[in-house]
Amino acid sequence: MKDIIILIPALNPPKEILFNYINDLRKKGFERILIVDDGCSKDYEKFFDDLKCKGVEIFKHYKNFGKGRALKNSFNYILNNYNDFSYVITADSDGQHNVSDIENIANILRLSKENKLYLGSRNFNKDNVPFKSAFGNKITSFVYKIMFGDKIYDTQTGLRAISKKHLEDFLDLEGERFEYEINMLIYSSKNDIEIEEIPIKTVYFDNNSETHFNPIKDSFKIYLVMFKTFFKFILSSISSWIVDISSYTLLVKILKNMFTSFSPIIWISTIVARIISGLFNYTVNKNLVFNDDVNHKNVFLKYIFLWLSQLILSAFLVDKIYYMINLDSSIIKIGVDSLIFLVSFKIQDKYIFN
């Protein structure tokens, strides 16, 4: 197991559990174990010194920075100080991750030639799972599927196997606490890094009382991360819609006395308004929403194709619905464009902007 490094972030962990956990890992052949002392209290100094004597390496933070920062700093430390490894397996310090599960993941790594992100996935339908953990993870899994397209059953698992190839990719991700782990998944989903879940035992001690996860503060940060791009897209779309509907309304007033039929007024107003708002929207989405710094002509052409499709679809549906229900066309356009907006977000996020 010399090509695998076991990484354990720790903040005032249960000493006896962690000590026995380290011994069990040793017995299974895991020789390279790195513990991140993420600002543990002073009474842990002797405990960590004893682990050092057993050959465990301790990476120390002067104060508590959070799990995300502990992982990023230790990834950087590993890349600077170790060359001969293929995977880093992260595990929690409270003994929640069974050593036999870590051994199983390690065996899978040895047989696989692919650079995947492996997740130890718990079963939240078990009777021993605290309600808040089961409910929170199921909701997060559902939202993640909608936002990023991958069905991940355990988005918050701390048991992960990360290949050396991808370790550097995760250094620059945002997040100081538990939201960093969701950012790791989002980056993988968006950059076609395959994520594979491996079933593990679902272990909770004392109703998960040892966790440092704050159900309000950390959940808010996790959902903020997942909806961050969507929120920016909403603001961008609202701004673009204001430009679009204002231009459309103004053009309808200008053109209403030039045609006997209302259809050409709708089509001309829609096209001109969409050209104005489309250029505005492309600039904002590329530079502020999706932060795409690639200046390929291909990106612009794909956006133009989407823009034309939206333009034609919007004008077609507004025209048809107007003659069906004889409602103000501006009101109809609001409803039609709201539906197009949701589809447009998924297309731009997945297929147009990087």
Side-chain angles (χ1 to χ4, degrees), residues 299-349:
V299 173
F300 184 70
L301 291 176
K302 285 191 289 185
Y303 181 85
I304 289 296
F305 180 77
L306 174 65
W307 170 78
L308 282 171
S309 301
Q310 290 178 243
L311 185 153
I312 295 169
L313 185 61
S314 176
F316 175 78
L317 291 176
V318 171
D319 185 24
K320 292 298 181 185
I321 295 172
Y322 173 78
Y323 282 103
M324 288 172 61
I325 62 177
N326 197 27
L327 189 66
D328 185 275
S329 65
S330 293
I331 296 175
I332 297 171
K333 183 174 170 60
I334 291 172
V336 167
D337 287 354
S338 296
L339 294 175
I340 292 174
F341 155 81
L342 295 173
V343 177
S344 177
F345 170 74
K346 296 299 293 183
I347 293 173
Q348 290 186 56
D349 187 38

Side-chain angles (χ1 to χ4, degrees), residues 133-157:
S133 297
F135 180 76
N137 274 277
K138 287 178 180 179
I139 292 295
T140 306
S141 176
F142 174 75
V143 172
Y144 192 93
K145 170 65 177 175
I146 293 175
M147 296 303 298
F148 306 106
D150 287 334
K151 181 61 178 177
I152 300 175
Y153 292 94
D154 191 353
T155 59
Q156 294 303 303
T157 180

Side-chain angles (χ1 to χ4, degrees), residues 247-262:
S247 302
Y248 175 84
T249 304
L250 179 62
L251 287 163
V252 167
K253 289 181 179 179
I254 293 172
L255 298 173
K256 67 180 180 179
N257 295 323
M258 297 182 185
F259 297 91
T260 56
S261 172
F262 206 68

Side-chain angles (χ1 to χ4, degrees), residues 70-274:
L71 289 171
K72 282 185 279 189
N73 285 352
S74 54
F75 290 166
N76 185 68
Y77 177 82
I78 289 170
L79 289 169
N80 278 324
N81 293 277
Y82 295 89
N83 292 316
D84 53 340
F85 74 96
S86 58
Y87 269 88
V88 171
I89 296 180
T90 64
D92 291 344
S93 61
D94 57 3
Q96 190 178 111
H97 299 134
N98 198 286
V99 172
S100 63
D101 287 323
I102 295 179
E103 183 183 31
N104 179 48
I105 291 175
N107 289 331
I108 291 173
L109 299 180
R110 289 162 63 187
L111 295 173
S112 174
K113 301 297 182 183
E114 300 179 82
N115 290 300
K116 301 178 182 178
L117 173 62
Y118 291 92
L119 307 178
S121 183
R122 296 161 290 182
N123 182 353
F124 292 103
N125 294 317
K126 295 275 189 179
D127 293 335
N128 65 320
V129 180
F131 173 77
K132 66 177 183 179
S133 297
F135 180 76
N137 274 277
K138 287 178 180 179
I139 292 295
T140 306
S141 176
F142 174 75
V143 172
Y144 192 93
K145 170 65 177 175
I146 293 175
M147 296 303 298
F148 306 106
D150 287 334
K151 181 61 178 177
I152 300 175
Y153 292 94
D154 191 353
T155 59
Q156 294 303 303
T157 180
L159 182 54
R160 304 179 177 205
I162 307 160
S163 71
K164 182 180 181 180
K165 177 182 177 181
H166 297 308
L167 208 60
E168 184 178 350
D169 297 333
F170 298 146
L171 289 179
D172 295 324
L173 300 182
E174 295 179 354
E176 301 298 297
R177 289 177 57 83
F178 293 93
E179 74 275 12
Y180 173 72
E181 292 178 308
I182 202 77
N183 262 330
M184 194 185 296
L185 298 181
I186 293 170
Y187 178 89
S188 299
S189 292
K190 288 190 171 184
N191 289 275
D192 296 323
I193 298 173
E194 187 175 350
I195 300 171
E196 181 175 330
E197 291 187 271
I198 300 170
I200 61 172
K201 294 181 178 65
T202 307
V203 179
Y204 284 97
F205 296 107
D206 192 20
N207 203 38
N208 206 24
S209 61
E210 293 292 340
T211 183
H212 297 284
F213 183 89
N214 185 307
I216 297 176
K217 184 169 77 171
D218 289 315
S219 293
F220 175 78
K221 287 184 176 181
I222 286 169
Y223 283 100
L224 187 62
V225 165
M226 288 198 290
F227 284 109
K228 180 181 177 181
T229 300
F230 187 62
F231 286 150
K232 290 194 292 183
F233 186 78
I234 290 174
L235 292 175
S236 167
S237 297
I238 290 173
S239 302
S240 301
W241 174 78
I242 291 172
V243 172
D244 185 61
I245 201 70
S246 300
S247 302
Y248 175 84
T249 304
L250 179 62
L251 287 163
V252 167
K253 289 181 179 179
I254 293 172
L255 298 173
K256 67 180 180 179
N257 295 323
M258 297 182 185
F259 297 91
T260 56
S261 172
F262 206 68
S263 285
I265 296 175
I266 290 176
W267 279 88
I268 293 171
S269 300
T270 298
I271 291 169
V272 176
R274 191 55 59 91

